[in-house]
Amino acid sequence: MTAAPGRGRFITFEGGEGAGKSTQIRLLADYLNACGLKVTATREPGGTPRAERLREILLSGKIAPLGPLAEATLFAAARIDHVDQLIAPTLAQGGWVLSDRFADSTRAYQGARGGVAQRDIDLLERAATGATTPDLTLILDLPPETGLARAAARRGVHEDVDRFEAEEIDFHHALRQAFLDIAARDPARCCVIDATLPPQTVAQTIRSVIDARLLNAAGQVAAQ
Ligand code: TYD
């Protein structure tokens, strides 16, 4: 998409469990701050007090019995508040927004894997996001076995697995493919990053993509 002059940039991070999104968001935020940009890091589901309350319900698995369409609808409800209250106003003020997951997660988890029809996913996505679509989506890709092992190590022994981490390994393989399909369909917006590499190497790759696609693109930022 072509961003309006003066508008900030919206970058989303997607991928399976344990791909290292939060680490990479932190490292990218440091880099962009050092470039003199105003950065807001956020996450989905969540990002606002109301959406965080919906997050608790979604990750508890209480909505799961209602089926993937109900889950997709609740993810979209949380997204409406997130976009209206945080993302759109921040971008309008020239801030950069880094979001740990966004609409592609609904497309992959509830659509490709959950079986929700594409037209319903499209409708929910349009309704929730409006014109607030990502300028860049980084898909952190790695084999699900590696990601789940990382997520388990991070979680430690006392916390329970969440609703989605608890799915069978086939689910996670299909999820990986769903994200790769999203990237293949929309290469202008998406970039697949090899997340098996060490975090600093992944961070360097991401910085190169940001430099090439956003910071140095036609002097967009320099001109702001
Ligand atoms: P989280 O603990 O943030 O997981 P991760 O570290 O993998 O991002 O939990 C978010 C979970 O919600 C994750 O399993 C993906 C899922 N999810 C959906 O199923 N649909 C959605 O639209 C979004 C935003 C997340």
Side-chain angles (χ1 to χ4, degrees), residues 57-157:
I57 298 169
L58 280 159
L59 298 195
S60 74
K62 283 183 195 140
I63 300 296
L66 278 68
L69 178 58
E71 281 187 312
T73 306
L74 208 54
F75 277 113
R79 188 162 300 129
I80 287 171
D81 199 57
H82 192 205
V83 167
D84 287 354
Q85 301 300 315
L86 181 75
I87 301 175
T90 304
L91 293 173
Q93 288 164 16
W96 284 48
V97 176
L98 312 183
S99 186
D100 187 339
R101 299 195 181 282
F102 193 61
D104 292 317
S105 280
T106 309
R107 207 165 271 289
Y109 280 79
Q110 283 70 47
R113 282 316 301 145
V116 176
Q118 174 132 357
R119 65 169 188 285
D120 294 335
I121 296 281
D122 289 345
L123 184 72
L124 288 170
E125 184 171 321
R126 264 201 312 279
T129 63
T132 308
T133 53
D135 299 293
L136 175 67
T137 296
L138 298 164
I139 294 178
L140 270 51
D141 177 60
L142 83 177
E145 290 83 358
T146 314
L148 289 169
R150 281 189 195 171
R154 180 183 62 198
R155 196 175 54 243
V157 286

XYZ file of all heavy atoms in Angstrom, residues 57-157:
740
model
N -9.958 -14.430 27.413
C -11.036 -15.382 27.083
C -10.600 -16.274 25.925
O -10.750 -17.497 25.969
C -12.323 -14.613 26.701
C -12.798 -13.775 27.884
C -13.406 -15.579 26.226
C -13.896 -12.786 27.543
N -10.014 -15.670 24.895
C -9.629 -16.443 23.700
C -8.564 -17.489 24.031
O -8.661 -18.643 23.604
C -9.114 -15.495 22.616
C -10.225 -14.797 21.827
C -9.704 -13.535 21.153
C -10.806 -15.753 20.790
N -7.553 -17.092 24.792
C -6.450 -18.031 25.064
C -6.808 -19.063 26.127
O -6.153 -20.095 26.251
C -5.173 -17.282 25.436
C -4.599 -16.362 24.358
C -3.170 -15.963 24.670
C -4.656 -16.984 22.967
N -7.887 -18.803 26.874
C -8.311 -19.795 27.879
C -8.958 -21.002 27.214
O -9.098 -22.053 27.834
C -9.318 -19.157 28.838
O -10.570 -19.009 28.171
N -9.388 -20.818 25.955
C -10.045 -21.930 25.268
C -11.550 -21.976 25.515
O -12.239 -22.869 25.016
N -12.082 -20.976 26.256
C -13.516 -21.009 26.585
C -14.396 -20.826 25.356
O -15.553 -21.243 25.336
C -13.846 -19.910 27.604
C -13.423 -20.271 29.014
C -13.837 -19.188 30.006
C -13.092 -19.394 31.320
N -12.642 -18.153 31.921
N -13.844 -20.169 24.320
C -14.644 -19.920 23.113
C -14.530 -21.093 22.138
O -15.364 -21.263 21.256
C -14.163 -18.605 22.431
C -14.322 -17.429 23.397
C -14.917 -18.302 21.146
C -15.752 -17.133 23.790
N -13.489 -21.914 22.308
C -13.232 -22.999 21.351
C -14.466 -23.871 21.054
O -14.712 -24.213 19.889
C -12.059 -23.850 21.825
N -15.268 -24.218 22.080
C -16.428 -25.066 21.780
C -17.429 -24.427 20.815
O -18.225 -25.133 20.187
C -17.079 -25.281 23.156
C -16.005 -24.994 24.144
C -15.120 -23.965 23.513
N -17.385 -23.092 20.697
C -18.307 -22.418 19.769
C -17.837 -22.533 18.327
O -18.548 -22.161 17.401
C -18.459 -20.933 20.140
C -19.436 -20.593 21.257
C -18.944 -21.092 22.600
C -19.639 -19.078 21.322
N -16.604 -22.983 18.128
C -16.101 -23.212 16.769
C -15.236 -22.077 16.264
O -15.223 -20.979 16.826
N -14.477 -22.347 15.155
C -13.507 -21.382 14.631
C -14.121 -20.068 14.137
O -13.485 -19.021 14.240
C -12.852 -22.123 13.457
C -13.199 -23.552 13.642
C -14.437 -23.635 14.466
N -15.387 -20.099 13.644
C -15.986 -18.840 13.183
C -16.224 -17.906 14.369
O -15.962 -16.700 14.278
C -17.290 -19.096 12.404
C -18.011 -17.835 11.924
C -17.114 -16.979 11.018
C -19.305 -18.201 11.191
N -16.689 -18.485 15.479
C -16.895 -17.660 16.685
C -15.556 -17.123 17.179
O -15.452 -15.948 17.561
C -17.580 -18.485 17.775
N -14.530 -17.962 17.146
C -13.201 -17.492 17.574
C -12.721 -16.368 16.658
O -12.241 -15.336 17.123
C -12.186 -18.641 17.543
C -12.284 -19.567 18.739
C -11.157 -20.603 18.765
O -10.894 -21.236 17.729
O -10.557 -20.778 19.833
N -12.863 -16.580 15.348
C -12.417 -15.556 14.385
C -13.136 -14.235 14.631
O -12.549 -13.151 14.540
C -12.664 -16.036 12.950
N -14.424 -14.328 14.975
C -15.227 -13.126 15.206
C -14.746 -12.388 16.457
O -14.655 -11.160 16.469
C -16.715 -13.518 15.337
O -17.077 -14.268 14.184
C -17.604 -12.296 15.427
N -14.381 -13.164 17.475
C -13.897 -12.526 18.704
C -12.494 -11.925 18.507
O -12.194 -10.850 19.036
C -13.896 -13.530 19.859
C -14.069 -12.915 21.245
C -15.317 -12.050 21.326
C -14.126 -14.004 22.312
N -11.651 -12.617 17.730
C -10.349 -12.025 17.390
C -10.577 -10.705 16.633
O -9.876 -9.720 16.869
C -9.517 -12.983 16.528
C -8.759 -14.030 17.309
C -9.086 -15.380 17.208
C -7.705 -13.685 18.143
C -8.383 -16.348 17.921
C -6.990 -14.646 18.867
C -7.337 -15.985 18.754
N -11.560 -10.701 15.740
C -11.845 -9.486 14.970
C -12.378 -8.382 15.884
O -12.043 -7.206 15.715
C -12.845 -9.788 13.846
N -13.195 -8.764 16.874
C -13.738 -7.765 17.814
C -12.585 -7.105 18.573
O -12.547 -5.880 18.736
C -14.714 -8.431 18.781
N -11.639 -7.930 19.023
C -10.475 -7.376 19.732
C -9.687 -6.463 18.794
O -9.185 -5.408 19.191
C -9.594 -8.516 20.246
N -9.598 -6.871 17.534
C -8.832 -6.092 16.535
C -9.479 -4.734 16.283
O -8.773 -3.738 16.057
C -8.736 -6.914 15.237
C -7.811 -6.316 14.182
C -7.414 -7.368 13.153
N -6.725 -8.466 13.799
C -7.045 -9.769 13.645
N -8.011 -10.135 12.838
N -6.375 -10.690 14.309
N -10.806 -4.680 16.285
C -11.502 -3.398 16.057
C -11.036 -2.375 17.092
O -10.677 -1.242 16.760
C -13.041 -3.596 16.144
C -13.542 -4.347 14.904
C -13.754 -2.253 16.282
C -15.000 -4.779 14.993
N -11.026 -2.790 18.361
C -10.628 -1.859 19.419
C -9.152 -1.482 19.275
O -8.772 -0.313 19.422
C -10.873 -2.510 20.794
C -10.922 -1.464 21.895
O -11.751 -0.538 21.786
O -10.118 -1.547 22.839
N -8.331 -2.501 18.963
C -6.885 -2.283 18.820
C -6.589 -1.270 17.709
O -5.802 -0.338 17.883
C -6.244 -3.644 18.515
C -4.765 -3.676 18.617
N -4.002 -4.594 17.932
C -3.870 -2.910 19.298
C -2.734 -4.388 18.217
N -2.617 -3.383 19.036
N -7.262 -1.451 16.555
C -7.041 -0.555 15.409
C -7.562 0.848 15.751
O -6.849 1.851 15.579
C -7.734 -1.106 14.138
C -7.777 -0.042 13.039
C -7.009 -2.353 13.639
N -8.805 0.918 16.271
C -9.435 2.226 16.491
C -8.756 3.034 17.597
O -8.614 4.247 17.477
C -10.908 2.047 16.889
C -11.748 1.619 15.705
O -11.213 1.576 14.576
O -12.940 1.316 15.914
N -8.372 2.334 18.665
C -7.872 3.051 19.839
C -6.359 3.254 19.830
O -5.860 4.165 20.450
C -8.259 2.308 21.133
C -9.753 2.137 21.311
C -10.473 3.466 21.363
O -10.034 4.390 22.045
N -11.555 3.602 20.605
N -5.639 2.348 19.161
C -4.172 2.437 19.253
C -3.486 2.569 17.894
O -2.748 3.535 17.653
C -3.617 1.200 19.997
C -2.100 1.215 20.160
C -1.681 2.207 21.241
C -1.549 -0.165 20.499
N -3.731 1.600 16.988
C -2.900 1.563 15.775
C -3.168 2.766 14.864
O -2.231 3.495 14.500
C -3.117 0.236 15.007
C -2.770 -0.960 15.905
C -2.257 0.214 13.735
C -3.059 -2.321 15.288
N -4.428 2.996 14.502
C -4.722 4.080 13.555
C -4.308 5.452 14.107
O -3.644 6.228 13.406
C -6.198 4.047 13.153
N -4.646 5.776 15.375
C -4.214 7.086 15.899
C -2.697 7.245 15.949
O -2.174 8.323 15.663
C -4.796 7.130 17.323
C -5.848 6.077 17.372
C -5.516 5.056 16.335
N -1.982 6.158 16.295
C -0.516 6.254 16.363
C 0.067 6.522 14.989
O 0.949 7.385 14.817
C 0.078 4.947 16.950
O -0.519 4.706 18.214
C 1.585 5.041 17.120
N -0.424 5.791 13.981
C 0.073 5.992 12.607
C -0.238 7.416 12.128
O 0.601 8.059 11.490
C -0.570 4.977 11.655
C -0.188 3.500 11.870
C -1.037 2.601 10.978
C 1.293 3.278 11.586
N -1.434 7.883 12.474
C -1.842 9.237 12.031
C -0.916 10.303 12.609
O -0.706 11.350 11.990
C -3.292 9.495 12.444
N -0.365 10.011 13.793
C 0.560 10.989 14.414
C 1.996 10.791 13.953
O 2.920 11.381 14.514
C 0.491 10.855 15.942
C -0.801 11.390 16.534
C -1.017 10.901 17.961
O -0.096 10.410 18.602
N -2.242 11.026 18.435
N 2.203 9.906 12.985
C 3.558 9.711 12.450
C 4.355 8.627 13.159
O 5.530 8.408 12.857
N 3.728 7.944 14.131
C 4.445 6.885 14.856
C 4.530 5.604 14.040
O 3.736 5.381 13.119
N 5.510 4.799 14.386
C 5.643 3.472 13.785
C 5.060 2.460 14.756
O 5.311 2.538 15.964
C 7.123 3.138 13.516
C 7.686 3.850 12.319
C 7.573 5.177 12.034
C 8.466 3.270 11.269
N 8.231 5.463 10.857
C 8.796 4.306 10.377
C 8.932 1.987 10.998
C 9.547 4.096 9.223
C 9.686 1.766 9.859
C 9.984 2.817 8.986
N 4.289 1.520 14.219
C 3.664 0.496 15.058
C 4.213 -0.873 14.669
O 4.216 -1.239 13.484
C 2.126 0.510 14.890
C 1.492 -0.626 15.702
C 1.540 1.854 15.308
N 4.701 -1.609 15.679
C 5.164 -2.987 15.473
C 4.186 -3.892 16.203
O 4.070 -3.814 17.427
C 6.567 -3.186 16.056
C 7.646 -2.151 15.706
C 8.986 -2.569 16.316
C 7.776 -2.001 14.195
N 3.475 -4.740 15.483
C 2.491 -5.599 16.144
C 2.874 -7.069 16.065
O 3.161 -7.599 14.991
C 1.096 -5.389 15.543
O 0.146 -6.129 16.280
N 2.878 -7.703 17.244
C 3.108 -9.137 17.358
C 1.779 -9.805 16.985
O 0.874 -9.866 17.813
C 3.517 -9.435 18.815
C 3.945 -10.873 19.016
O 3.581 -11.734 18.202
O 4.628 -11.132 20.026
N 1.658 -10.211 15.751
C 0.469 -10.790 15.113
C -0.550 -9.715 14.728
O -0.646 -8.666 15.346
C -0.237 -11.833 15.993
C 0.618 -13.037 16.343
C -0.228 -14.171 16.894
N 0.596 -15.310 17.252
C 1.087 -16.190 16.375
N 0.787 -16.070 15.099
N 1.847 -17.191 16.763
N -1.318 -10.024 13.669
C -2.408 -9.155 13.216
C -3.346 -10.038 12.393
O -3.444 -11.255 12.636
C -1.828 -7.954 12.431
C -2.811 -6.838 12.191
C -3.388 -6.159 13.251
C -3.161 -6.461 10.899
C -4.293 -5.124 13.027
C -4.064 -5.430 10.666
C -4.626 -4.758 11.727
N -3.985 -9.472 11.380
C -5.055 -10.190 10.673
C -4.598 -11.487 9.989
O -5.401 -12.412 9.819
C -5.699 -9.258 9.651
N -3.325 -11.579 9.591
C -2.864 -12.821 8.948
C -2.968 -14.017 9.897
O -3.099 -15.152 9.440
C -1.415 -12.680 8.456
C -1.298 -11.696 7.311
O -2.157 -11.730 6.404
O -0.357 -10.887 7.332
N -2.898 -13.750 11.201
C -3.033 -14.863 12.150
C -4.448 -15.442 12.092
O -4.623 -16.655 12.185
C -2.712 -14.401 13.584
O -1.315 -14.354 13.774
N -5.443 -14.585 11.950
C -6.816 -15.099 11.819
C -6.936 -15.910 10.530
O -7.563 -16.969 10.480
C -7.831 -13.933 11.784
O -7.577 -13.077 12.898
C -9.260 -14.453 11.865
N -6.310 -15.389 9.467
C -6.340 -16.074 8.161
C -5.697 -17.468 8.269
O -6.204 -18.442 7.713
C -5.567 -15.202 7.156
C -5.981 -15.340 5.735
C -5.435 -14.210 4.893
N -6.352 -13.075 4.877
C -7.514 -13.058 4.241
N -7.917 -14.101 3.561
N -8.292 -11.998 4.290
N -4.588 -17.552 9.002
C -3.875 -18.835 9.100
C -4.526 -19.769 10.125
O -4.817 -20.925 9.816
C -2.411 -18.590 9.470
N -4.766 -19.269 11.337
C -5.258 -20.142 12.418
C -6.734 -20.502 12.217
O -7.093 -21.674 12.263
C -5.104 -19.466 13.788
C -3.700 -19.529 14.373
C -2.691 -18.669 13.947
C -3.393 -20.430 15.380
C -1.422 -18.711 14.514
C -2.124 -20.487 15.951
C -1.149 -19.622 15.508
O 0.111 -19.668 16.063
N -7.591 -19.489 12.051
C -9.021 -19.792 11.966
C -9.452 -20.107 10.531
O -10.374 -20.886 10.315
C -9.860 -18.616 12.501
C -9.895 -18.508 14.020
C -8.573 -18.089 14.635
O -7.942 -17.137 14.176
N -8.121 -18.808 15.654
N -8.755 -19.493 9.541
C -9.114 -19.720 8.137
C -8.520 -21.013 7.615
O -9.188 -22.047 7.543
N -7.238 -20.977 7.275
C -6.603 -22.144 6.651
C -6.698 -23.374 7.553
O -6.997 -24.475 7.097
C -5.138 -21.827 6.341
N -6.461 -23.212 8.855
C -6.476 -24.370 9.751
C -7.836 -24.645 10.368
O -8.232 -25.785 10.538
C -5.428 -24.194 10.869
C -4.056 -24.473 10.439
C -3.984 -25.727 9.584
N -4.480 -26.915 10.269
C -5.133 -27.903 9.663
N -5.400 -27.831 8.382
N -5.539 -28.946 10.344
N -8.545 -23.594 10.705
C -9.833 -23.797 11.367
C -10.965 -24.103 10.411
O -12.023 -24.560 10.814
N -10.745 -23.805 9.118
C -11.767 -24.107 8.120
C -12.814 -23.019 7.936
O -13.825 -23.241 7.264
N -12.599 -21.835 8.525
C -13.543 -20.733 8.288
C -13.409 -20.293 6.833
O -12.293 -20.139 6.326
C -13.276 -19.543 9.244
C -14.199 -18.377 8.926
C -13.441 -19.976 10.694
N -14.542 -20.124 6.151
C -14.535 -19.802 4.718
C -13.795 -18.493 4.464
O -13.887 -17.544 5.253
C -15.968 -19.681 4.207
N -13.092 -18.474 3.334
C -12.291 -17.298 2.989
C -13.133 -16.023 2.930
O -12.697 -14.963 3.371
C -11.616 -17.536 1.637
C -10.869 -16.320 1.131
C -9.471 -16.692 0.667
O -9.041 -17.840 0.769
N -8.780 -15.719 0.150
N -14.380 -16.130 2.413
C -15.191 -14.908 2.289
C -15.547 -14.361 3.673
O -15.648 -13.147 3.868
C -16.438 -15.140 1.436
C -17.425 -16.093 2.017
C -18.769 -16.119 1.292
N -19.668 -16.938 2.063
C -19.636 -18.266 2.119
N -18.764 -18.937 1.391
N -20.475 -18.944 2.889
N -15.720 -15.254 4.656
C -16.012 -14.784 6.014
C -14.782 -14.132 6.636
O -14.877 -13.103 7.306
C -16.486 -15.952 6.891
C -17.836 -16.495 6.421
O -18.580 -15.728 5.780
O -18.124 -17.677 6.669
N -13.614 -14.750 6.395
C -12.356 -14.159 6.897
C -12.145 -12.790 6.242
O -11.798 -11.810 6.914
C -11.155 -15.081 6.581
C -11.286 -16.417 7.320
C -9.825 -14.401 6.878
C -10.894 -16.388 8.776
N -12.381 -12.708 4.921
C -12.213 -11.436 4.201
C -13.106 -10.351 4.804
O -12.688 -9.215 5.018
C -12.566 -11.597 2.716
C -11.530 -12.421 1.962
O -10.418 -12.624 2.493
O -11.842 -12.871 0.837
N -14.363 -10.751 5.043
C -15.342 -9.798 5.574
C -14.917 -9.291 6.955
O -14.917 -8.075 7.208
C -16.698 -10.508 5.671
C -17.877 -9.651 6.124
C -18.262 -8.686 5.008
C -19.068 -10.536 6.489
N -14.538 -10.221 7.830
C -14.107 -9.837 9.183
C -12.875 -8.946 9.117
O -12.746 -7.968 9.842
C -13.799 -11.088 10.023
C -15.003 -11.921 10.473
C -14.538 -13.240 11.069
C -15.850 -11.147 11.480
N -11.944 -9.294 8.211
C -10.705 -8.524 8.102
C -10.994 -7.093 7.627
O -10.492 -6.129 8.209
C -9.734 -9.220 7.147
C -8.401 -8.500 7.075
C -7.344 -9.278 6.305
O -7.269 -10.511 6.437
O -6.599 -8.629 5.542
N -11.830 -6.984 6.601
C -12.163 -5.641 6.091
C -12.861 -4.821 7.161
O -12.584 -3.638 7.349
C -13.060 -5.757 4.860
C -12.304 -5.696 3.545
C -13.226 -5.292 2.390
N -14.464 -6.039 2.379
C -14.607 -7.271 1.874
N -13.571 -7.882 1.350
N -15.778 -7.883 1.899
N -13.787 -5.473 7.863
C -14.559 -4.750 8.885
C -13.653 -4.284 10.020
O -13.801 -3.172 10.531
C -15.669 -5.648 9.421
N -12.709 -5.133 10.424
C -11.893 -4.799 11.594
C -10.760 -3.841 11.260
O -10.407 -2.990 12.078
C -11.322 -6.072 12.215
N -10.174 -3.972 10.069
C -8.955 -3.195 9.804
C -9.215 -1.946 8.961
O -8.464 -0.984 9.061
C -7.895 -4.051 9.072
O -8.408 -4.442 7.807
C -7.550 -5.294 9.862
N -10.239 -1.953 8.129
C -10.495 -0.808 7.251
C -9.266 -0.492 6.424
O -8.687 -1.380 5.796
N -8.836 0.773 6.490
C -7.665 1.187 5.698
C -6.361 0.915 6.440
O -5.274 1.159 5.902
C -7.772 2.673 5.373
N -6.455 0.415 7.666
C -5.248 0.225 8.465
C -4.633 -1.144 8.166
O -4.732 -2.072 8.963
C -5.582 0.395 9.966
O -6.261 1.649 10.124
C -4.330 0.406 10.821
N -4.014 -1.239 7.013
C -3.374 -2.502 6.618
C -1.855 -2.348 6.771
O -1.321 -1.242 6.649
C -3.725 -2.864 5.158
O -3.401 -1.751 4.337
C -5.211 -3.178 5.022
N -1.161 -3.461 7.027
C 0.289 -3.346 7.260
C 1.060 -2.876 6.016
O 0.725 -3.254 4.892
C 0.701 -4.783 7.617
C -0.552 -5.479 7.999
C -1.649 -4.836 7.208
N 2.086 -2.072 6.242
C 3.008 -1.708 5.159
C 3.954 -2.854 4.889
O 4.439 -3.021 3.780
C 3.827 -0.476 5.564
C 2.926 0.712 5.816
O 2.318 1.189 4.855
O 2.813 1.133 6.985
N 4.253 -3.611 5.947
C 5.191 -4.731 5.827
C 4.801 -5.806 6.835
O 4.495 -5.496 7.986
C 6.621 -4.239 6.123
C 7.715 -5.296 6.167
C 7.942 -5.918 4.782
C 9.028 -4.680 6.677
N 4.796 -7.058 6.377
C 4.553 -8.188 7.277
C 5.753 -9.115 7.226
O 6.130 -9.597 6.148
C 3.265 -8.936 6.849
O 2.160 -8.040 7.020
C 3.052 -10.193 7.704
N 6.370 -9.325 8.389
C 7.532 -10.214 8.482
C 7.038 -11.560 8.999
O 6.476 -11.639 10.101
C 8.562 -9.607 9.433
C 9.110 -8.250 8.965
C 9.808 -7.521 10.107
C 10.066 -8.431 7.787
N 7.218 -12.585 8.195
C 6.777 -13.922 8.589
C 7.996 -14.696 9.058
O 8.891 -15.012 8.261
C 6.051 -14.613 7.422
C 4.757 -13.825 7.152
C 5.772 -16.083 7.750
C 3.928 -14.305 6.009
N 8.059 -14.923 10.382
C 9.208 -15.631 10.967
C 8.953 -17.131 10.835
O 8.062 -17.679 11.485
C 9.385 -15.211 12.430
C 10.302 -13.999 12.657
C 9.933 -12.827 11.788
C 10.313 -13.599 14.109
N 9.752 -17.753 9.974
C 9.476 -19.139 9.579
C 10.479 -20.107 10.209
O 11.689 -19.856 10.163
C 9.555 -19.215 8.045
C 9.344 -20.623 7.553
O 8.266 -21.183 7.825
O 10.256 -21.174 6.902
N 9.954 -21.176 10.784
C 10.830 -22.245 11.296
C 10.020 -23.526 11.447
O 8.792 -23.475 11.478
C 11.510 -21.837 12.613
C 10.813 -21.968 13.954
C 11.750 -21.565 15.079
C 9.546 -21.190 14.017
N 10.708 -24.695 11.485
C 9.957 -25.941 11.644
C 9.197 -25.928 12.969
O 9.741 -25.485 13.985
C 11.050 -27.023 11.667
C 12.259 -26.386 11.087
C 12.156 -24.921 11.381
N 7.941 -26.396 12.981
C 7.127 -26.345 14.187
C 7.760 -27.058 15.378
O 7.616 -26.606 16.516
C 5.832 -27.051 13.799
C 5.826 -27.129 12.330
C 7.203 -26.916 11.826
N 8.486 -28.136 15.120
C 9.104 -28.863 16.250
C 10.059 -27.930 16.997
O 10.097 -27.910 18.229
C 9.898 -30.090 15.760
C 9.030 -31.230 15.217
C 8.623 -31.016 13.758
O 8.977 -29.968 13.176
O 7.937 -31.904 13.206
N 10.847 -27.150 16.245
C 11.792 -26.207 16.858
C 11.037 -25.126 17.630
O 11.391 -24.790 18.764
C 12.649 -25.533 15.755
O 13.100 -26.535 14.857
C 13.808 -24.770 16.330
N 9.990 -24.592 17.017
C 9.228 -23.511 17.651
C 8.534 -23.966 18.921
O 8.559 -23.267 19.939
N 7.935 -25.153 18.888
C 7.219 -25.644 20.073
C 8.189 -25.949 21.204
O 7.884 -25.710 22.376
C 6.383 -26.876 19.715
C 5.159 -26.568 18.838
C 4.538 -27.864 18.313
C 4.119 -25.748 19.588
N 9.382 -26.483 20.853
C 10.389 -26.757 21.881
C 10.830 -25.447 22.529
O 10.964 -25.354 23.754
C 11.583 -27.490 21.275
N 11.013 -24.404 21.707
C 11.394 -23.096 22.258
C 10.300 -22.558 23.169
O 10.573 -22.034 24.248
C 11.591 -22.083 21.119
C 12.911 -22.199 20.405
C 13.009 -20.987 19.488
N 14.039 -21.115 18.494
C 14.193 -20.263 17.484
N 13.365 -19.247 17.354
N 15.164 -20.402 16.620
N 9.044 -22.666 22.701
C 7.926 -22.138 23.496
C 7.835 -22.886 24.820
O 7.575 -22.278 25.863
C 6.612 -22.265 22.719
N 8.066 -24.200 24.811
C 7.989 -24.987 26.045
C 9.107 -24.578 27.006
O 8.883 -24.427 28.217
C 8.089 -26.477 25.725
N 10.315 -24.355 26.464
C 11.449 -23.961 27.301
C 11.185 -22.590 27.940
O 11.458 -22.371 29.119
C 12.722 -23.923 26.470
N 10.593 -21.687 27.145
C 10.321 -20.330 27.622
C 9.251 -20.362 28.726
O 9.293 -19.606 29.686
C 9.816 -19.513 26.427
C 9.473 -18.075 26.709
C 8.928 -17.414 25.459
N 7.702 -18.034 24.994
C 7.196 -17.903 23.788
N 7.821 -17.215 22.868
N 6.061 -18.461 23.455
N 8.287 -21.269 28.557
C 7.149 -21.315 29.465
C 7.543 -21.841 30.844
O 6.969 -21.463 31.850
C 6.089 -22.229 28.842
C 4.733 -22.097 29.446
C 3.735 -22.942 28.691
N 4.182 -24.305 28.596
C 4.453 -24.926 27.457
N 4.334 -24.313 26.314
N 4.858 -26.182 27.458
N 8.522 -22.755 30.869
C 8.906 -23.353 32.151
C 7.904 -24.405 32.574
O 6.970 -24.714 31.845
N 8.079 -24.929 33.768
C 7.282 -26.093 34.172
C 5.933 -25.726 34.780
O 5.037 -26.564 34.852
C 8.051 -26.984 35.189
C 9.150 -27.756 34.505
C 8.596 -26.137 36.330
